[in-house]
């Protein structure tokens, strides 16, 4: 009569089934599995003449990029808007059990770490006046890996040293921790959190909703990049705090989603507090001057910079003076951020099927690449609304993401996009 | 391939090896000057350029002022080369007097053409084409004297050829007959392509010819790879070239061929074919590596290790059988005779094989005499 | 975000993009000032281009004209072009091609001059930002061309004074060049130094030079600017003069080594203001010391 | 003012011969405490200084031990405490400290009502920091490991320029080490427990539940009835704990197997067991109050009406089988949904695990207490709940129906970007020795037309005549090359033989060490100096002036070094010292200017500090 047997049996059965499944997994050869996971056949493509070729990632990439650009420009083109140029960004990485999943190769954790590194470098390249700090979530608690700082390498070093994942994830603990830090930073700084979230749940000590409100009240903009699937609480968090919530489909996509956070975000009116920041413009020490730099504690001949306030010697800029804490920058560092103030308008697609399409320019104005497809048909191209010059897709991306000038407009005496509103 | 690498360092070594007079004579030819200039190491090129219009001797020291600490060795090499080629002449007060190796008007060359490459390459299979080319040209030149030709003339002609625009037709009757004769040989080598017109005929230099003047760095010969080899011995070649598919067939089983993709597998059989044709495993491997598709070229190793190892193994397999001349004994009178014989053979370490049921022996030929002796004694 | 493929297929194979300043006033002006005339200039530059191509069969040269009203490609040694039936005995193909295109360009440049009135007369500066941007686009294309490509660098032959209105654009170009590790060499042939180019070369690790003896221009070009990037790691080239990276305030235009930056538009002021004169934003926290204090607290100052 | 305490490693010895017990000696103004490294050790001193009459110490010498002997007041009780130190320097520190303290005490005893000292004492109290011994040990460890740190500590803390607190405040990172210094985070309740079924080895009839302290605590929080029962039976000692849990598990098992009838039967037999089997009536009582708490988005039971739940394989019900619906067994039935709701409610109440509370009994009692407190401030929470439910209501809306809620962005208008150019380029030019303004228009009398004309004429000329040949005439070439070479070699010379080798290494070792030490101390002082601005309290004011004096005498020392070093190094040394002096000067200047400002302000402002 004893019901317990059944139970026991049932459990056992399940056990076996599971094992069998695993066996199937193992039966696959390594190289087979590689295909199964990467689904590389999907990236096979035939061109019009039936020739086989790897998928034209260029076109796809461009398409994605266009979408992104449009989504940004919808707000920005209408009127020029402020950008959060001075950012205090906490990057929170979920190293909970879920991060050991291997749907990203070799593992979510590894991939996340890799791209966070790339992100950090890009971030400081685009925001020389900003700061980053790293936080990891393990075993249901958040831990501060690095404090807010301006040197990419120190962060990356710390991150790579602290890999490995375990336990549950707790969004609330992470947010609480960050909130604790970000509340102290000066008001003009833009407070941001970027969370790489692997887990599908959050195991919190209390009501996370209150924490979210707390973040909202102290103007912390929280964004999440999900690695597994969309989670309600994350979307809610981002909505409430004016951040963005995206979920990565694959590694490439994840990289893109991350890098979207590198350029300074448009400043939210109610968040933005403008202020004057005291900064020092150190002079390069004359050649032949010998002094012990305050960062390495070794005598440097020439080179280096001298803090205008406390006369301490620092090796490179931008930095915060070791001694008196004055922010030290050089004028080019400011200049680096100017393009955020004068963004260039997105280019318009030019449909190749225009009535007089044969009259269209035959080469990209920027790089001279022919814009004519086989059979003398005009190829894919975009045109600058100001100077009406035509560009190839690659230039389009390069111009908007790295160069930040329209070569066409710059090559004309009139219609400087830069000058004034 | 090794032996080639060793011999034909590059063309300029030969030029440098020429006696002073001949060398100076060569320099009267613009093409030679440019060829020489191009063959120089980067630093040397720069030096030549910057001393172009200097007519007074320049002290070696003042040259060294420009060199950074870790560049000195390169600097030395460059200077030596220049002196070796008599571009710089050492003068008593330990300075180098530059001569002018380059008249100020030299034409711009045009890009080369696909099909000509293929035509040229058909003569040259697995090995680094330039390597072979130099190998042969070197032979060709060195025994030119035997054919009663002046190597200097030959060299200058070859170099001149190398500055002709690839794919341009040049009229044959502009040439002296020595050159005509040479040209025929070159045609066989695939350096030029001869074309018979109605009354006139032309020759068309191929890429190989125009490459002649370039010193033998892999760089000059290297092109985008196209082969992907996978751990499961499958092989994908993204190429439309007939030549490529032919080369692959030499050592791989081509399974099917799409317009621009050749899919094959490296099998024991296919490799044995290759080995029989005297192609070595090393050659195959290095071919696969040299032509690795950019995607896989990034990785190291560009060809999976298990594949390369297996290829080497299979090659060694061929040399596994060892032949020992031996004698076969049977029809023993009795069991014990047989056993006696086999024991005897065994003791003397000559026994190769025995079958006691059918009473047969195979014994090393060296022992044949003793065996016969032994057997006779048994009788 | 262009990451540079480091793989190069020969040490010294180079792509040199030359930006040629074609500001007519420059030459007519210098013609009166110095003895160095435009024809001489051309002679020097052309033979320089020629020698670059000469050095390595794979070398590549691109010339872009930096005009008063427009910029355009003048010459590209890699561009396929039918061989001229006869080469003029007087000069090689390259020269004649460059000269012809240059002439055409000047024509069109002048036309566009007319079209937008006497704009140029107002601003004597040529459109450096334009030609720089073009050059960078071209170089990106070379990077895209695959793992094997010549190692690119830019050479600015600039004589016109800097155009303030181009500042942001030029800086953008400079930083983009730095990001893709393309050095910008500058050879200033004008009467005065160029702050643009000085920064450009300093930031991108190129060479900045203002030849004292213009009639020896070719010598400068061949000695310094012909050096391929590979050799530069072994040779010592003229060091950039220590650039002064201090700024001067928007309000009094006087150089300062400590100042206040508007957190919105990054304009610089020598003393505290209530309102930003550039972007008009009003500063919330009137007392900068308090802000400073905030940062102090952020520093691990002793809490007491 | 004196540093408030001394921390040293030392060995406590019964006698001079005795090898002694290694440990940490902490001396404060009142007492000295010795804690041995070996926790087992019985030696644990905590002696009030009032008991100490006098102290002796051994002569300094290479082969001698560094001893300090604290002799007790004979009329309290005789004997003495002997400590041996690793270094004489350490010993001296303690000796001096003891000397001071004893001196002070005697002074107090002699004249208890001495106002001066009292005031000083009170002043002392102000910044007396209370620190755990672990903290102490950590600091000591750091000091021992890092010689430089030790030097500084000795120089400044013992030298009474900085207080212990100040000294360490700048080194929080060091102290923090790995353990994060944030308030301890609490781990949330795992929902896993609900899913966890009993473990069963298939053969025997045994079914094993695993109960960890966490789980038990979770059971208490989530099942008040069980909690109550536990208090009644176990805590009151009516029933051994083990029995209690076995009963509980049995009940759980019946629930899980959904065997309502069996449950009913067994409950009839055993009234304790019934408690577990029946629906948790405490919960039911609370329910009305609780339901407000429960986040509607989390109320699983709410949508039980929706029929899709009853579709097979929906999975929310613990097993696929349909619920038997004889009403009389209803109370013996419990759905996963109820469990979930309960769990959610508890989580939202913010009841988190604080593990390590020791045995279950204490856990239970603690929980009981917290319950009381909770009930007490129930009312105060009212409005909190109010706004929560509002927020929840908002969240409950269907996504697509909500208006896109992106925030308005801050507009930006920039008048004239040229400003940026001017601000950065003008002085860049100055450095190049250009006296002229950046954009000097090219003086040209020609019209544009003419200008272009000229240029094109030039070109056509070139086309006809060809290039000038030779392009450069040799003389100029030589001159140019010579010039460049000259320029280079001079630059090289300027850089010095090779920049790799540091200037410091060329100096004699002693000088180098000396310089580095001074440099370090200057850094330390300057850090403190600058971080004390803006001065807001008297405390900071005093500190700054203290620092200033300290810097002043380093300043003189530096000067001294410059003189002392022999002539052939003098140049390098002065070069090295120069920047340090500059830094100090800068500090002094700042100090004076600030002082003036303040004195100016004190006029209008009474307290004098801003």
């Amino acid at each position: 009569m004893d019901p317990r047997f059944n139970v026991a049996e049932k459990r056992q059965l399940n056990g076996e089934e599971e094992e069998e499944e695993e066996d199937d997994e193992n039966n696959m050869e390594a190289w087979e599995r590689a295909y199964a996971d990467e689904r590389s056949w999907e990236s096979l493509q035939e061109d019009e003449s039936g020739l086989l070729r790897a998928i034209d990632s260029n076109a796809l990439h461009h398409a994605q990029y266009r979408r992104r650009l449009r989504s940004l420009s919808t707000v920005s083109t209408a009127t020029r808007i402020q950008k959060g140029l001075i950012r205090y960004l906490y990057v929170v990485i979920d190293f909970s059990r879920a991060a050991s999943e291997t749907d990203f190769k070799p593992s979510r954790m590894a991939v996340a770490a890799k791209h966070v590194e790339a992100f950090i470098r890009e971030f400081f390249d685009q925001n020389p006046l900003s700061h980053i700090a790293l936080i990891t979530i393990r075993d249901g608690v958040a831990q501060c890996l690095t404090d807010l700082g301006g040197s990419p390498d120190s962060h990356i070093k710390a991150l790579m040293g602290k890999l490995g994942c375990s336990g549950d994830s707790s969004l609330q603990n992470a947010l609480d921790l960050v909130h604790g830090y970000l509340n102290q930073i000066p008001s003009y700084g833009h407070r941001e959190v970027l969370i790489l979230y692997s887990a599908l749940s959050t195991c919190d000590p209390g009501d996370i909703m209150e924490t979210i409100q707390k973040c909202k009240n102290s103007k912390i903009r929280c964004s999440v990049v999900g690695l597994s699937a969309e989670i309600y609480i994350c979307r809610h968090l981002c909505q409430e705090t004016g951040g963005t919530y995206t979920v990565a489909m694959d590694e490439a996509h994840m990289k893109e989603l991350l890098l979207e956070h590198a350029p300074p975000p448009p400043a939210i009116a109610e968040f933005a507090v403008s202020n004057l920041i005291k900064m020092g413009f150190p002079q390069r020490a004359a050649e032949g001057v010998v002094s012990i730099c305050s960062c390495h504690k070794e005598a440097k001949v020439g080179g280096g910079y001298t803090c205008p306030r406390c006369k301490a010697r620092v090796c490179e800029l931008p930095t915060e003076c070791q001694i008196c804490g004055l922010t030290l920058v050089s004028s080019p560092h400011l200049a680096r951020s100017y393009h955020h103030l004068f963004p260039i308008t997105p280019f318009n697609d030019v449909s190749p099927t225009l009535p007089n399409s044969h009259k269209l320019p035959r080469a990209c104005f920027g790089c001279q690449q022919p814009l004519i497809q086989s059979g003398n048909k005009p190829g894919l191209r975009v045109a600058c609304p100001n100077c009406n010059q035509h560009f190839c897709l690659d230039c389009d991306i390069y111009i908007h993401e790295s160069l930040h000038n329209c070569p066409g407009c710059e090559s004309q005496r009139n219609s400087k996009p830069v000058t004034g509103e | 391939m090794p032996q080639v690498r060793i011999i034909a360092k590059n063309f300029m070594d030969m030029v440098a090896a020429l006696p002073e007079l001949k060398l100076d004579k060569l320099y009267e030819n613009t093409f030679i000057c440019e060829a020489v200039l191009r063959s120089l190491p980067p630093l040397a090129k720069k030096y030549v350029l910057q001393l172009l219009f200097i007519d007074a001797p320049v002290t070696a020291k003042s040259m060294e002022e420009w060199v950074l600490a870790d560049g000195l060795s390169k600097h030395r090499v460059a200077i030596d080369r220049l002196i070796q080629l008599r571009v710089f002449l050492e003068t008593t007060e330990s300075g180098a007097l530059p001569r002018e190796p380059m008249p100020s008007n030299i034409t711009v060359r045009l890009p080369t053409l696909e099909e000509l490459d293929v035509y040229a390459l058909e003569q040259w299979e697995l090995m680094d084409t330039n390597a072979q080319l130099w190998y042969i040209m070197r032979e060709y030149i060195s025994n030119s004297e035997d054919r009663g030709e002046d190597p200097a003339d030959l060299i200058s002609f070859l170099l001149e050829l190398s500055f002709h625009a690839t794919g341009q037709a040049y009229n044959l009757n502009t040439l002296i007959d020595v050159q005509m004769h040479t040209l025929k040989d070159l045609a066989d080598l695939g350096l030029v392509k001869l074309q018979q017109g109605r009354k006139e005929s032309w020759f068309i230099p191929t890429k190989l010819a125009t490459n002649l003047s370039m010193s033998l760095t892999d760089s000059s010969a290297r092109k985008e790879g196209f082969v992907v080899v996978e751990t499961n011995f499958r092989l994908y070649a993204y190429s439309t070239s007939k030549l490529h598919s032919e080369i692959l067939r030499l050592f791989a089983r081509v399974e099917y061929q799409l317009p621009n993709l050749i899919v094959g597998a490296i099998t024991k059989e296919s490799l044995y074919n290759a080995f029989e044709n005297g192609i070595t495993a090393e050659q195959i491997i290095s071919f696969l590596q040299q032509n690795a598709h950019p995607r896989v070229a990034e990785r190291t190793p560009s060809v999976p290790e298990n594949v390369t190892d297996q290829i080497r193994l299979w090659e060694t397999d061929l040399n596994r059988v060892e032949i020992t001349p031996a004698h076969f004994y049977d029809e023993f009178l009795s069991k014990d005779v047989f056993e006696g014989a086999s024991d005897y053979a065994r003791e003397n370490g000559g026994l190769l094989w025995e079958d006691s049921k059918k009473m047969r022996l195979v014994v090393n030929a060296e022992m044949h005499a003793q065996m016969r002796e032994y057997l006779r004694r048994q009788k | 975000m262009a990451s540079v493929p480091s793989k190069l297929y020969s040490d010294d194979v180079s792509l040199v993009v030359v930006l040629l300043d074609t500001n007519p006033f420059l030459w007519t002006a210098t013609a009166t000032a110095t003895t160095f005339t435009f024809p001489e200039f051309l002679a020097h530059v052309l033979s320089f281009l020629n020698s670059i191509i000469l050095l390595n069969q794979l070398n590549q040269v691109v010339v872009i004209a930096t005009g008063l009203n427009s910029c355009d490609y003048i010459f590209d040694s890699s561009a396929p072009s039918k061989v001229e039936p006869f080469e003029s005995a007087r000069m090689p193909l390259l020269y004649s091609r460059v000269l012809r295109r240059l002439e055409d360009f000047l024509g069109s440049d002048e036309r566009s001059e007319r079209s937008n009135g006497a704009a140029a007369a107002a601003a004597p500066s040529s459109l450096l930002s334009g030609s720089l941007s073009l050059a960078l686009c071209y170089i990106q294309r070379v990077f895209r061309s695959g793992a094997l490509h010549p190692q690119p660098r830019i050479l600015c032959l600039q004589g016109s004074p800097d155009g303030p209105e181009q500042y942001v654009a030029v800086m953008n170009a400079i930083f983009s060049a730095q990001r893709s590790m393309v050095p910008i060499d500058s050879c200033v042939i004008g009467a005065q130094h160029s702050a643009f180019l000085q920064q450009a070369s300093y930031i991108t690790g190129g060479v900045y030079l203002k030849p004292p003896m213009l009639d020896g221009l070719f010598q400068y070009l061949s000695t310094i600017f012909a050096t391929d990037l590979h050799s530069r790691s072994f040779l010592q080239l003229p060091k950039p003069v220590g650039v002064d990276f201090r700024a001067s305030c928007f309000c009094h235009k006087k150089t300062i080594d400590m100042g206040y930056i508007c957190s919105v538009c990054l304009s610089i002021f020598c003393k505290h203001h209530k309102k930003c004169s550039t972007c008009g934003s009003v500063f919330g926290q009137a007392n900068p010391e308090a802000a400073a204090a905030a940062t102090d607290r952020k520093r691990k100052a002793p809490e007491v | 003012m004196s540093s408030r305490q001394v921390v040293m490693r030392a060995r406590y010895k019964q006698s001079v011969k005795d090898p002694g017990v290694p440990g940490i000696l902490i001396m404060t103004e009142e007492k000295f405490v010795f804690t041995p490294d070996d926790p087992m050790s019985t030696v644990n001193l905590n002696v009030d200084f009032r008991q100490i009459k006098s102290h002796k110490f051994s002569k300094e010498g290479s082969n001698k031990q560094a001893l300090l002997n604290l002799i007790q007041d004979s009329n309290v009780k005789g004997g003495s405490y002997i400590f041996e130190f690793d270094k004489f320097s350490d010993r001296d520190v303690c000796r001096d400290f003891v000397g001071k303290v004893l001196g002070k005490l005697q002074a107090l005893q002699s004249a208890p009502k001495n106002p001066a000292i009292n005031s000083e004492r009170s002043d002392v109290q102000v910044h007396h920091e209370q620190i755990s011994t672990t903290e102490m040990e950590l600091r000591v460890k750091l000091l021992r490991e890092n010689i430089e740190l030790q030097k500084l500590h000795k120089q400044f803390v013992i030298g009474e320029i900085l207080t212990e607190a100040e000294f360490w405040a700048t080194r929080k990172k060091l102290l923090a080490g790995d353990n994060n210094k944030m308030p301890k985070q609490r781990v949330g309740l795992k929902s896993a427990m609900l899913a966890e079924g009993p473990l069963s080895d298939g053969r025997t009839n045994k079914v094993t539940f695993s109960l960890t302290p966490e789980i038990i605590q979770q059971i208490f929080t989530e099942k008040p009835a069980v909690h109550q029962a536990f208090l009644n039976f176990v805590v009151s000692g009516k029933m051994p704990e083990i029995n209690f849990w076995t009963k509980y598990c049995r009940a759980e098992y019946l629930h899980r197997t959904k065997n309502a009838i069996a449950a009913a039967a067994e409950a009839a037999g055993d009234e304790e067991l019934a408690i577990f089997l029946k629906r948790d009536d405490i919960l039911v009582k609370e329910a009305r109050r609780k339901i407000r708490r429960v986040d509607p988005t989390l109320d699983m039971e709410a949508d039980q009406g929706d029929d899709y739940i009853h579709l097979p394989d929906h999975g929310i019900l613990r097993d696929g089988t349909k619920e038997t619906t004889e009403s009389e067994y209803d109370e013996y039935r419990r759905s996963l949904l109820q469990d979930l709701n309960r769990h959610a409610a508890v989580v939202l109440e913010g009841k988190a695990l604080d593990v390590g509370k020791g045995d279950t009994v204490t856990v239970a009692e603690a929980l009981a207490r917290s319950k009381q407190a909770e009930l007490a401030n129930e009312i105060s929470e009212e409005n909190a709940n109010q706004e929560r439910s509002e927020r929840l209501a908002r969240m409950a809306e269907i996504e697509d129906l909500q208006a896109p809620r992106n925030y308005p962005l801050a507009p930006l208008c920039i008048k004239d970007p040229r400003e940026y150019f001017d601000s950065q380029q003008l002085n860049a030019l100055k450095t190049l020795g250009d006296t002229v303004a950046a954009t000097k228009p090219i003086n040209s009398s020609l019209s544009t037309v003419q200008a272009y004309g000229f240029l094109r004429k030039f070109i056509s000329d070139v086309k006809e005549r060809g290039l000038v040949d030779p392009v450069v005439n040799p003389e100029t070439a030589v001159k140019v090359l010579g010039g460049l070479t000259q320029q280079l070699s001079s630059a090289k010379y300027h850089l010095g033989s090779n920049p790799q080798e540091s200037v410091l290494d060329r100096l004699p070792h002693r000088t180098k060490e000396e310089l580095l030490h001074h440099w370090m101390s200057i850094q330390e002082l300057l850090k403190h100096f600058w971080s004390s601005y803006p001065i807001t309290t008297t405390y900071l004011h005093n500190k700054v002036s203290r620092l200033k004096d300290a810097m002043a005498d380093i300043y003189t020392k530096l000067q001294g070094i410059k003189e002392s070093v022999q002539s052939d190094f003098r140049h390098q040394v002065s070069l090295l010292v120069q920047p340090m002096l500059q830094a100090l000067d800068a500090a002094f200047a700042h100090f004076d200017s600030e002082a003036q400002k303040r004195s100016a302000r004190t006029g209008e402002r009474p307290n004098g500090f801003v």
Side-chain angles (χ1 to χ4, degrees), chain D residues 340-356:
Chain D
L340 285 177
N341 276 349
R342 177 60 190 157
H343 179 69
V346 171
V347 168
L348 289 183
E349 285 164 17
K351 286 219 185 69
L353 289 174
D354 22 24
V355 191

Side-chain angles (χ1 to χ4, degrees), chain D residues 372-416:
Chain D
Q372 298 312 320
E374 187 183 319
L375 283 171
N377 57 30
E378 186 66 18
I379 307 87
S380 65
E381 279 188 19
E382 276 311 323
N383 42 13
N385 293 332
Q386 181 54 31
E387 58 128 83
R388 187 198 277 122
S389 47
E390 276 166 11
R391 193 172 67 242
L392 296 178
R394 195 173 66 246
M395 295 190 330
E397 286 177 51
I398 301 170
E399 202 56 29
D400 312 359
L401 301 186
Q402 288 182 12
R405 53 211 312 286
N406 41 17
Y407 297 76
L409 300 169
L412 169 72
C413 65
I414 289 185
K415 298 206 190 61
D416 182 6

Side-chain angles (χ1 to χ4, degrees), chain B residues 4 87 94 177 194 216 244 274 314 348 369 379:
Chain B
V4 179
V87 177
S94 77
D177 41 6
L194 293 175
L216 177 60
H244 286 156
W314 275 329
N348 297 281
K379 298 216 179 75

Side-chain angles (χ1 to χ4, degrees), chain B residues 34 37-38 40 42-43 45-47 49-54 65-71 74 102-111 162 168 210-211 214 217-220 222-224 294 297-298, chain C residues 7-12 50-51 53-58 75 77-78 80-81 83 87 89 92-95 97 145-148 218-219 222-224 226-228 230-238:
Chain B
E34 181 168 352
L37 179 64
R38 287 217 170 131
L40 295 171
L43 271 187
K45 290 182 189 175
K46 178 186 179 300
Y47 292 151
L49 200 56
Q50 83 188 38
L51 295 181
L52 213 48
F53 291 97
I54 309 280
E65 288 288 358
W66 292 78
V67 185
L68 289 173
D70 50 0
K74 295 229 184 243
M102 174 188 65
S104 50
N105 63 326
I106 289 163
T107 59
V108 187
R109 251 153 324 287
L110 313 170
S162 75
Q168 295 299 318
T210 46
N211 282 350
M214 278 193 283
T217 55
D218 293 345
S219 66
S220 50
R222 199 186 301 169
K223 50 225 163 300
E224 290 275 330
E298 314 298 313
Chain C
K7 247 175 65 194
L8 292 166
Y9 55 132
S10 172
D11 297 342
D12 65 331
N50 194 16
S51 20
I53 294 172
L54 205 57
L55 284 179
N56 186 322
Q57 186 194 37
L58 298 165
F75 173 74
S77 65
S78 73
S81 81
V83 231
E87 268 173 24
L93 180 60
L94 170 123
Y95 296 9
R97 262 163 80 189
S145 71
L148 309 179
F218 178 83
Q219 192 57 40
S222 61
T223 315
I224 291 165
T227 321
D228 60 281
H230 173 69
S231 307
R232 290 189 188 196
S233 48
F234 309 116
L235 293 177
Q236 186 178 16
L237 297 177

Side-chain angles (χ1 to χ4, degrees), chain D residues 101-160:
Chain D
V101 173
L102 291 182
K104 222 177 259 163
L105 287 172
Q106 272 138 24
L108 276 174
Q109 279 144 12
S110 63
K113 317 243 169 325
N114 183 331
I117 295 161
N118 285 341
S119 69
E120 215 226 359
R121 297 277 290 164
S122 63
D123 178 305
V124 165
Q125 298 317 330
V126 177
H127 300 299
H128 197 304
E129 63 166 348
Q130 300 301 347
I131 32 171
S132 65
T133 26
T134 55
E135 176 82 352
M136 265 304 160
E137 284 164 9
L138 182 56
R139 292 182 181 181
V140 177
K141 184 162 148 298
L142 286 171
L143 287 179
R144 294 176 54 74
E145 284 164 356
N146 180 342
I147 310 305
E148 287 171 345
L149 197 61
Q150 207 176 36
K151 271 196 196 153
L152 288 177
H153 183 271
K154 181 143 173 270
Q155 182 180 2
F156 295 130
V157 179
I158 312 304
E160 300 185 4

